[in-house]
Amino acid sequence: MRAHVLGSAAGGGLPQWNCACDNCALARAGDPRVAPRTQDSIAVTADDARKWLLVNASPDVRVQVARFEPLWPRAARGTPIAAIALTNGDLDHVLGLLSLRESQPIVVLATESVRAGLVERNAMLRTLARTSDQVTWRRLELGREVALDEVGVGVTAVPAPGKLPVHLVGLTEPSPEDNVALRVRDLASGRTIVVATAIGSLEGIERIVGGADGLLFDGTFWSEDELVSRGLGRARARDMAHVPVGGDAGSLARLAGVAARRRVYTHVNNTNPMLVDGSPERLQVEGAGWEVAFDGLEVAP
Ligand SMILES: [Zn+2]
Ligand SMILES: [Zn+2]
């Protein structure tokens, strides 16, 4: 099985259009220590499979498909993307669905709460329902594997501590289905890649990451007050349901015992100092046996 990181940045990307933090400024200037990154999306396939599963549909999906040849169409009209699984309804994970229209039939895997939050409140989503067979929604029930024989993988949603998308707060009741980690299992070999890009708390984290051969984990923020201390916002990491990487209570320390052969931080916010090659934070991450994802990284555990 193989996971290809299409986009490794959190919402906003790197550089973010309206941000002049140190990292965004370095990326904009072409500094080789800070590679630009598109927004969170991962393509997964079983070995030798000709079909792919996308985890999340980022606003950058068009350029992400354009620069990864295995996702190019192989007929006059068509796509090797057999399905798209959503980890939550945040706009940086779903806006790309609107770019995947052009009357192309697609299959979307989502929990009922994520599906309802998208299609029942947004007239624009009707562009994906131009014909009755355009989008097939397949429900991800918590803990129950959905087999995608075409791709050669099974997908299981595991509830993860998270929150409603900002645009649904106040409109709908929070539910354990709002934010999930995905366990993607190779149907032939049993190898498993876990994608957990929004984790609000590490309580019970073994349930999510246990048994993973490859782990793509929430690397959004280095510290709780990353935005506040830079004067870029008032929200702390926990307010946005992202456990920070650094510190005694951070994921790097708390996940030290994880056995996965590949341990990768992705969905990295543009303010995170571990984005900079050679920075103390990057050296700490690498010294602990973790990697920081970049666009194009392959994980084949
Ligand atoms: Zn996100
Ligand atoms: Zn920035």
Side-chain angles (χ1 to χ4, degrees):
M1 181 166 47
R2 166 185 177 202
H4 181 93
V5 176
L6 294 167
S8 49
L14 172 70
Q16 177 176 310
W17 73 281
N18 63 343
C19 185
C21 75
D22 293 347
N23 289 344
C24 287
L26 288 171
R28 221 169 255 125
D31 189 299
R33 293 172 299 161
V34 186
R37 286 163 164 85
T38 59
Q39 295 166 83
D40 181 52
S41 183
I42 294 157
V44 185
T45 189
D47 296 330
D48 302 325
R50 289 179 53 78
K51 294 285 188 176
W52 291 77
L53 166 73
L54 291 197
V55 175
N56 290 329
S58 105
D60 300 315
V61 67
R62 190 182 154 279
V63 66
Q64 290 170 340
V65 169
R67 66 189 190 187
F68 187 48
E69 185 173 351
L71 298 184
W72 294 359
R74 294 160 194 163
R77 282 287 160 85
T79 176
I81 299 169
I84 299 150
L86 303 177
T87 59
N88 61 31
D90 287 349
L91 292 180
D92 60 312
H93 300 166
V94 304
L95 277 179
L97 291 175
L98 292 172
S99 299
L100 299 177
R101 51 192 197 284
E102 281 84 29
S103 302
Q104 176 66 47
I106 56 175
V107 174
V108 181
L109 277 57
T111 64
E112 174 56 16
S113 108
V114 168
R115 187 204 63 82
L118 284 173
V119 304
E120 291 176 8
R121 296 188 181 272
N122 292 294
M124 259 196 287
L125 263 289
R126 296 180 69 218
T127 196
L128 299 177
R130 297 172 182 179
T131 58
S132 60
D133 61 350
Q134 188 178 351
V135 171
T136 302
W137 291 89
R138 291 191 64 183
R139 182 170 180 180
L140 286 172
E141 290 180 66
L142 300 179
R144 172 176 288 189
E145 185 175 77
V146 174
L148 295 170
D149 293 323
E150 268 188 305
V151 189
V153 302
V155 179
T156 306
V158 183
K163 61 167 189 54
L164 277 168
V166 176
H167 56 276
L168 291 180
V169 172
L171 286 181
T172 177
E173 283 302 307
S175 134
E177 291 195 345
D178 292 337
N179 185 58
V180 295
L182 297 179
R183 297 181 64 92
V184 185
R185 188 177 68 93
D186 188 310
L187 293 172
S189 72
R191 293 249 166 111
T192 299
I193 290 176
V194 170
V195 181
T197 54
I199 295 292
S201 149
L202 294 172
E203 221 177 288
I205 194 66
E206 292 74 21
R207 191 172 39 80
I208 291 172
V209 303
D213 299 289
L215 177 59
L216 291 145
F217 199 79
D218 186 345
T220 311
F221 296 114
W222 181 262
S223 57
E224 272 291 348
D225 63 348
E226 193 161 310
L227 298 181
V228 182
S229 66
R230 287 167 173 74
L232 298 172
R234 270 172 292 181
R236 295 163 61 80
R238 70 170 68 115
D239 302 328
M240 301 165 84
H242 292 294
V243 146
V245 174
D248 293 344
S251 58
L252 193 62
R254 294 279 304 280
L255 295 181
V258 165
R261 272 187 293 279
R262 295 284 299 275
R263 286 162 285 170
V264 179
Y265 281 117
T266 192
H267 193 275
V268 187
N269 197 57
N270 54 70
T271 49
N272 191 323
M274 74 180 180
L275 283 170
V276 183
D277 283 351
S279 68
E281 293 83 359
R282 171 68 73 85
L283 296 176
Q284 191 182 332
V285 165
E286 291 173 347
W290 285 71
E291 302 165 68
V292 175
F294 52 86
D295 294 11
L297 175 71
E298 296 261 340
V299 177

